Amino acid sequence: MIEYHFRAELAAEYGVDGAIFLHCMAFWIAKNRANGRHLHEGRYWTYNTRKALAEVFPFWSRRQIERIVAGLKEAGALLTGNFSEDKTDRTLWYALGDKVLEAYGEGAPPISPKGEMDLTEPCAPVPQTVKCNKETVTYQLNTPYGPPEEKPRRRKAERAEIPEASRALLEAWAEGKPPTLRAELENFVSARMEEKKARHAPTAYKAILNRLDRFSGGSDEARLDMLSLAASRGWITVYPPRARDKPADRGGEGRWDVE
């Protein structure tokens, strides 16, 4: 029987779902910290695919996990990035925010001046898959339970890949943008790659970036909101802030092809 745990003060701050998710992230990150692994930009990280997370948390759907992650990121409790050596692998990496680290007694590590992530920086190993199982490990963060050590997973051959021209276009657009906006763009692209209807040609991403600039009125905050909502709902494009619920209201998943 698998048990899931959380800290009461984090549940009061981020909700029970958010506290459960943070508790598992805290365990995996503590394991990496103890083993001196996955230290990037002054923080220890863990990583996993949305599909694997849905197996770790069978009581949540992938969409629910995406909403939980988006809410924790917005609250500053969770950071995301990508440090894979394989530039076509867009699996998200996760780190804890300063307030959550303090709740677990870890202290707040320094942050690199580069911010949350770097779209062009060389990265680390391939994705990992884990399970929470109280019988196989000793938890190191104020509870005797937790998941086992992370193990590598094989990258699927059918996984979509972004052409170099599209990647260059995204990197050029993201240059000079705030770290949080660049990270949310990575999150959106990663979620988009899991959608079968999504096209990854430069023309498709150029259309998305043009929509971001046009509908946001030049506001990075509006761009961030549009990307976050699109990623959490599994859309393959972005919508104006005032019309962002329109695709779901039409009875579909919002996965419309980009013209």
Side-chain angles (χ1 to χ4, degrees):
M1 178 173 141
I2 299 176
E3 294 186 3
Y4 295 80
H5 301 262
F6 60 86
R7 294 186 65 89
E9 64 270 32
L10 294 182
E13 182 77 16
Y14 308 112
V16 172
D17 287 347
I20 291 174
F21 189 89
L22 289 172
H23 204 69
C24 281
M25 293 296 111
F27 170 77
W28 297 329
I29 290 170
K31 294 280 287 184
N32 288 338
R33 181 176 188 143
N35 292 313
R37 299 184 306 174
H38 307 327
L39 175 62
H40 301 283
E41 300 182 353
R43 294 181 187 273
Y44 285 93
W45 300 71
T46 185
Y47 54 91
N48 228 320
T49 63
R50 287 182 175 83
K51 180 179 179 181
L53 287 175
E55 294 176 359
V56 173
F57 303 107
F59 41 85
W60 292 330
S61 67
R62 286 173 59 184
R63 292 289 179 264
Q64 286 176 308
I65 292 173
E66 290 169 358
R67 286 195 292 270
I68 291 169
V69 170
L72 291 173
K73 285 180 59 180
E74 184 177 356
L78 192 68
L79 306 179
T80 61
N82 188 298
F83 303 98
S84 175
E85 289 179 343
D86 183 354
K87 293 184 178 180
T88 64
D89 178 10
R90 310 320 304 172
T91 299
L92 279 183
W93 293 54
Y94 302 94
L96 301 178
D98 294 346
K99 191 171 182 179
V100 178
L101 285 171
E102 291 172 359
Y104 281 107
E106 292 289 288
I111 300 177
S112 165
K114 291 184 179 179
E116 187 175 353
M117 65 173 294
D118 192 326
L119 287 169
T120 60
E121 185 175 345
C123 321
V126 293
Q128 303 172 344
T129 302
V130 296
K131 289 185 178 179
C132 289
N133 190 329
K134 70 172 184 177
E135 279 102 41
T136 59
V137 297
T138 299
Y139 197 78
Q140 299 176 354
L141 298 175
N142 303 323
T143 172
Y145 306 124
E149 183 176 352
E150 297 172 317
K151 297 181 180 179
R153 74 183 291 270
R154 183 173 298 176
R155 181 170 167 263
K156 290 185 178 180
E158 66 271 21
R159 183 182 177 90
E161 294 187 0
I162 298 182
E164 287 297 323
S166 298
R167 175 58 52 189
L169 180 69
L170 291 167
E171 291 173 354
W173 184 87
E175 185 176 359
K177 297 291 193 301
T180 52
L181 181 57
R182 289 154 48 200
E184 198 57 61
L185 177 63
E186 282 292 298
N187 188 29
F188 167 71
V189 172
S190 179
R192 194 174 185 274
M193 289 178 67
E194 298 182 13
E195 301 298 335
K196 294 182 179 179
K197 293 183 179 180
R199 294 186 293 115
H200 302 288
T203 53
Y205 283 104
K206 184 177 181 180
I208 292 172
L209 297 177
N210 286 339
R211 289 168 70 89
L212 274 174
D213 292 335
R214 186 168 73 253
F215 296 148
S216 68
S219 167
D220 285 338
E221 183 178 355
R223 293 186 182 105
L224 185 66
D225 184 57
M226 292 163 65
L227 286 170
S228 177
L229 189 68
S232 67
R233 297 199 176 184
W235 297 342
I236 65 173
T237 189
V238 295
Y239 295 92
R242 293 182 180 178
R244 59 191 179 188
D245 292 326
K246 189 173 182 179
D249 292 342
R250 291 191 173 187
E253 290 293 330
R255 306 188 192 100
W256 296 356
D257 288 326
V258 178
E259 297 297 329

